[in-house]
Amino acid sequence: DQQVKQNSPSLSVQEGRISILNCDYTNSMFDYFLWYKKYPAEGPTFLISISSIKDKNEDGRFTVFLNKSAKHLSLHIVPSQPGDSAVYFCAASDSGSARQLTFGSGTQLTVLP
Amino acid sequence: KAGVTQTPRYLIKTRGQQVTLSCSPISGHRSVSWYQQTPGQGLQFLFEYFSETQRNKGNFPGRFSGRQFSNSRSEMNVSTLELGDSALYLCASSLARGNEQFFGPGTRLTVL
């Protein structure tokens, strides 16, 4: 039973446009959410996070939106750059086991020049 | 600050053998977590250590074990290796009160 789902395995976007990556979760105990970027043969790189007490968090070109009622979060990248091409994972945790991250299956983002 | 380091980066073993992987967290980070990444199952949590104590454990058999030393460095051991243990093993560290985990480059284990 996948508790964190990324339903789009891949996404292609033109350079300069907005990339929107989506993530859904089923466990209502999750209260902290993170996005990671991963290149082949490397470990995931932390991008941005959001607590369930917020509905938006912004860091430079990256913004994460959280809709608790829909159990949905999204990562917006504006403007997209070719160097953003990577696999993006969303992850979730709950306060009871804060360092047990549950990951989605990832979305391969390709930014076309 | 130096990032999370893992050794070795690549390892080839045969079925039935055992293996030990090592992880050095970011300086000042006292929590170390281990994850397994496979094409079929994705990234799955193995266990987490804090102050030399295992605080959390994922759904893996007892062949997977770990420990943490007083300097926060951690080792992970897999005994009686099976073909299905072939995976990328990732270590992540975080501050005692931090939610963000920072990952190392991983150890690619191949079991023949």
Side-chain angles (χ1 to χ4, degrees), chain B residues 66-98:
Chain B
R67 60 177 175 168
Q68 187 180 34
F69 301 95
S70 57
N71 62 358
S72 296
R73 190 177 70 85
S74 177
E75 287 182 347
M76 187 192 115
N77 185 275
V78 188
S79 62
T80 321
L81 283 166
E82 300 176 1
L83 295 178
D85 297 333
S86 294
L88 181 67
Y89 288 89
L90 292 158
C91 165
S93 74
S94 63
L95 290 166
R97 290 179 181 267

Side-chain angles (χ1 to χ4, degrees), chain A residues 39-104:
Chain A
Y39 295 114
E42 293 183 13
T45 301
F46 170 72
L47 279 175
I48 192 169
S49 61
I50 187 167
S51 162
S52 60
I53 61 173
K54 294 185 175 182
D55 54 19
K56 175 183 174 181
N57 189 25
E58 204 170 343
D59 184 1
R61 296 186 298 115
F62 302 93
T63 303
V64 57
F65 295 92
L66 175 62
N67 182 335
K68 287 190 295 291
S69 61
K71 293 191 175 68
H72 177 84
L73 63 154
S74 61
L75 175 68
H76 293 209
I77 307 173
V78 184
S80 301
Q81 300 172 353
D84 295 330
S85 297
V87 177
Y88 287 77
F89 291 94
C90 71
S93 68
D94 69 75
S95 303
S97 53
R99 285 162 195 83
Q100 178 173 344
L101 294 178
T102 301
F103 282 86

Side-chain angles (χ1 to χ4, degrees), chain B residues 54-74:
Chain B
Q54 186 182 93
R55 291 203 299 192
N56 216 351
K57 191 178 193 311
N59 190 22
F60 278 83
R63 300 184 298 107
F64 291 82
S65 63
R67 60 177 175 168
Q68 187 180 34
F69 301 95
S70 57
N71 62 358
S72 296
R73 190 177 70 85
S74 177

Side-chain angles (χ1 to χ4, degrees), chain B:
Chain B
K1 265 189 184 175
V4 178
T5 58
Q6 292 186 246
T7 56
R9 291 293 309 276
Y10 302 92
L11 207 47
I12 299 175
K13 293 284 187 179
T14 55
R15 277 182 301 174
Q17 287 187 308
Q18 75 162 15
V19 67
T20 299
L21 312 181
S22 181
C23 171
S24 292
I26 292 171
S27 177
H29 286 194
R30 294 169 60 192
S31 170
V32 174
S33 299
W34 289 89
Y35 293 83
Q36 180 197 64
Q37 185 182 25
T38 58
Q41 298 297 319
L43 271 154
Q44 291 188 291
F45 173 79
L46 279 157
F47 29 65
E48 186 237 347
Y49 285 87
F50 180 81
S51 290
E52 303 176 62
T53 301
Q54 186 182 93
R55 291 203 299 192
N56 216 351
K57 191 178 193 311
N59 190 22
F60 278 83
R63 300 184 298 107
F64 291 82
S65 63
R67 60 177 175 168
Q68 187 180 34
F69 301 95
S70 57
N71 62 358
S72 296
R73 190 177 70 85
S74 177
E75 287 182 347
M76 187 192 115
N77 185 275
V78 188
S79 62
T80 321
L81 283 166
E82 300 176 1
L83 295 178
D85 297 333
S86 294
L88 181 67
Y89 288 89
L90 292 158
C91 165
S93 74
S94 63
L95 290 166
R97 290 179 181 267
N99 284 302
E100 290 80 15
Q101 295 182 31
F102 298 88
F103 284 82
T107 294
R108 170 71 62 185
L109 172 64
T110 302
V111 182
L112 302 175

